Amino acid sequence: QQAGGRPSIYHAVVVIFLEFFAWGLLTTPMLTVLHETFSHHTFLMNGLIQGVKGFLSFLSAPLVGALSDAWGRRSFLLLTVFFTCAPIPLMRINPWWYFAMISVSGIFSVTFSVIFAYVADVTQEHERITAYGLVSATFAASLVTSPAIGAYLSASYGDNLVVLVATLVAVVDICFILLAVPESLPEKMRSASWGASISWEKADPFASLKKVRKDSTILPICITVFLSYLPEAGQYSSFFLYLRQIIGFGSASIAGFIAVVGILSIVVQTVFLSILMKSIGNKNTVLLGLGFQILQLVWYGFGSQSWMMWAAGVVAAMSSITFPAISALVSRNAESDQQGVVQGIITGIRGLCNGLGPALYGFIFFLFHVELNEVPPDQISEKKAMQDPGDEKAIVPGPPFLVGACIVILAFLVALFIPEHRMRSQQSTRKHSNSISGTLNNNLEQSSEEDIEPLLQDSSV
């Protein structure tokens, strides 16, 4: 028996919660350190840092997954969590090293890939959708609670305490993996020598992208994922900085915004998503989610007042149904032995967007000369936003959001061509042909036993 007993999904849930809880605590201090370190071209530098991290994650995720298939999950969970959380204490020690480590840590910032493999090891196939939903909900819950706690600690005791608490949470996560998380991959499936059973084709991040061109059904789905998640990834990288410096949100308002939108997203994905899927179908649910995303991005782009951001946040929560609906569309229509391949392709494309999206948004902010002059105190910032929110603002306060809306419109047009029932019809045809061949084989075996010529005996041939 291993130290942590039998491996279970709850081990994966705790690891994910602690890791992202630690980073969520740093939401407020990170905004301050980012502007203090890069007082000029803040959005551009933020986009480049997050872009390098995301692109390195895209390159390394398949390799880390292949190595975990050969060596086991536990050691790679430890490796990914350690390197993902390594930059945290450097925030107050040396900001330059902090941002450099964030970029380089992208090589190992692929905890989700190993976690999903861990979950697949400990669950049956019919349990995995529920298990993945539990992991995703845990991830959302950690990000809903931690920014508010971090903002409170920062306002009451300063950023140093927040960084210390986040570091301690990361250390607890690492100790939990060392002491309590058992290995999920059976020993007979592990490799004794390095690289002996690694499928290097699977470790190639561009191999899956090459396969997409050959499948007329997966191609529009993947293009839709790329065009819809590219603006979303860019938005995640810069939105909280945008709220504080351009719109005038304080730390408490940002924490509240994250909590409200996060809670609404969880409700939408757990309640409304199933209702919509049953009533209007998978494809129409995807189109509806893309429509909400377009509206949300346009609202963010033209919005210049606090209430506009809150209203757009509600629309953003509704747009969160897009990716689960796409995953369900693939899961329902793809063959059982192709689930991992197709979902892996979509995950890889999202990883690529995590690299390109932040760089795109940072560059557009730079092109439109949206710069930060100073970091206003929370109270002054909120009062200024309430009293005179529209003065000295451009006609389009957030140009990257409007560019993102145009990109999602293209995703909407591509999604119209997703053949919702085509894959299913192909499967039914394939299953029908398989059943015919199976029947023929059975007839052939029976007739050979009776020493009768099958072509004369079986008229169905």
Side-chain angles (χ1 to χ4, degrees):
Q1 289 294 325
Q2 302 182 63
R6 294 184 61 186
S8 69
I9 184 178
Y10 300 105
H11 292 98
V13 164
V14 172
V15 171
I16 281 293
F17 181 85
L18 291 175
E19 177 180 330
F20 288 96
F21 188 87
W23 276 107
L25 290 172
L26 299 176
T27 302
T28 299
M30 188 183 298
L31 300 179
T32 304
V33 172
L34 182 64
H35 179 63
E36 290 176 350
T37 307
F38 307 105
S39 56
H40 300 288
H41 310 314
T42 309
F43 284 108
L44 178 62
M45 294 305 300
N46 177 62
L48 291 176
I49 292 168
Q50 298 297 330
V52 171
K53 178 182 178 181
F55 191 70
L56 289 177
S57 298
F58 163 72
L59 293 177
S60 64
L63 177 59
V64 172
L67 290 173
S68 71
D69 287 338
W71 288 1
R73 317 296 184 195
R74 183 172 173 270
S75 57
F76 284 92
L77 273 181
L78 182 63
L79 186 70
T80 57
V81 171
F82 175 80
F83 280 99
T84 301
C85 297
I88 292 178
L90 294 175
M91 177 181 285
R92 305 310 298 177
I93 298 174
N94 189 318
W96 285 95
W97 278 104
Y98 166 72
F99 289 113
M101 276 295 296
I102 285 181
S103 299
V104 177
S105 69
I107 299 175
F108 297 102
S109 297
V110 290
T111 309
F112 260 110
S113 300
V114 186
I115 284 292
F116 281 150
Y118 192 99
V119 171
D121 292 340
V122 300
T123 56
Q124 300 295 325
E125 185 174 349
H126 66 277
E127 300 172 334
R128 285 175 193 163
I129 295 178
T130 304
Y132 289 156
L134 180 59
V135 172
S136 300
T138 303
F139 163 72
S142 67
L143 294 183
V144 166
T145 55
S146 54
I149 297 173
Y152 171 77
L153 293 176
S154 177
S156 302
Y157 305 102
D159 290 347
N160 289 336
L161 179 64
V162 181
V163 175
L164 177 61
V165 173
T167 303
L168 292 176
V169 172
V171 171
V172 169
D173 197 9
I174 293 171
C175 293
F176 177 76
I177 297 173
L178 283 172
L179 301 176
V181 175
E183 177 56 58
S184 63
L185 192 67
E187 188 173 356
K188 62 182 180 181
M189 296 179 63
R190 286 178 247 164
S191 175
S193 60
W194 190 91
S197 60
I198 296 176
S199 174
W200 294 105
E201 183 181 357
K202 293 181 180 179
D204 181 5
F206 297 99
S208 61
L209 299 181
K210 295 176 184 176
K211 296 177 183 177
V212 168
R213 296 179 301 174
K214 303 177 182 178
D215 196 314
S216 60
T217 304
I218 300 300
L219 181 60
I221 294 178
C222 291
I223 295 176
T224 301
V225 171
F226 179 80
L227 294 176
S228 62
Y229 194 69
L230 183 67
E232 188 174 342
Q235 176 182 322
Y236 284 155
S237 69
S238 60
F239 188 61
F240 301 133
L241 182 65
Y242 177 81
L243 284 180
R244 180 167 183 179
Q245 308 302 336
I246 305 301
I247 304 300
F249 272 43
S251 299
S253 298
I254 292 176
F257 184 90
I258 296 172
V260 170
V261 175
I263 293 172
L264 288 176
S265 298
I266 293 174
V267 172
V268 167
Q269 292 184 41
T270 54
V271 178
F272 290 99
L273 179 62
S274 59
I275 296 175
L276 290 171
M277 298 259 286
K278 292 177 182 178
S279 58
I280 65 176
N282 285 40
K283 180 178 176 179
N284 291 329
T285 303
V286 172
L287 295 174
L288 182 63
L290 292 173
F292 278 119
Q293 187 178 1
I294 294 170
L295 177 60
Q296 159 219 338
L297 289 168
V298 171
W299 210 328
Y300 282 149
F302 285 110
S304 59
Q305 302 182 31
S306 297
W307 70 268
M308 295 180 179
M309 298 295 106
W310 284 97
V314 176
V315 180
M318 291 299 300
S319 70
S320 65
I321 63 175
T322 304
F323 185 69
I326 289 178
S327 298
L329 181 64
V330 172
S331 178
R332 279 191 170 190
N333 293 314
E335 299 241 5
S336 59
D337 59 349
Q338 296 177 345
Q339 292 284 337
V341 175
V342 178
Q343 297 288 359
I345 291 173
I346 294 176
T347 303
I349 291 175
R350 282 168 62 91
L352 181 61
C353 291
N354 283 329
L356 298 178
L360 174 66
Y361 267 50
F363 183 66
I364 295 175
F365 274 123
F366 173 73
L367 284 181
F368 284 85
H369 306 289
V370 180
E371 297 294 342
L372 310 181
N373 298 319
E374 59 180 354
V375 180
D378 289 347
Q379 294 82 2
I380 298 175
S381 174
E382 290 183 343
K383 288 180 180 178
K384 181 181 178 182
M386 292 173 61
Q387 292 173 357
D388 201 4
D391 285 356
E392 299 181 359
K393 290 187 183 292
I395 298 175
V396 181
F401 302 111
L402 290 184
V403 174
C406 296
I407 296 175
V408 179
I409 290 174
L410 295 178
F412 186 91
L413 296 176
V414 173
L416 292 173
F417 294 95
I418 296 177
E420 184 175 7
H421 302 290
R422 181 177 175 183
M423 295 174 72
R424 191 174 301 167
S425 64
Q426 289 177 347
Q427 285 181 27
S428 61
T429 302
R430 193 180 296 112
K431 290 178 180 177
H432 181 62
S433 63
N434 289 340
S435 64
I436 292 176
S437 61
T439 303
L440 291 175
N441 290 334
N442 291 336
N443 290 334
L444 289 172
E445 291 175 1
Q446 293 175 0
S447 59
S448 62
E449 289 177 359
E450 298 172 2
D451 199 20
I452 300 176
E453 294 186 33
L455 292 177
L456 299 176
Q457 176 68 21
D458 193 352
S459 61
S460 66
V461 177

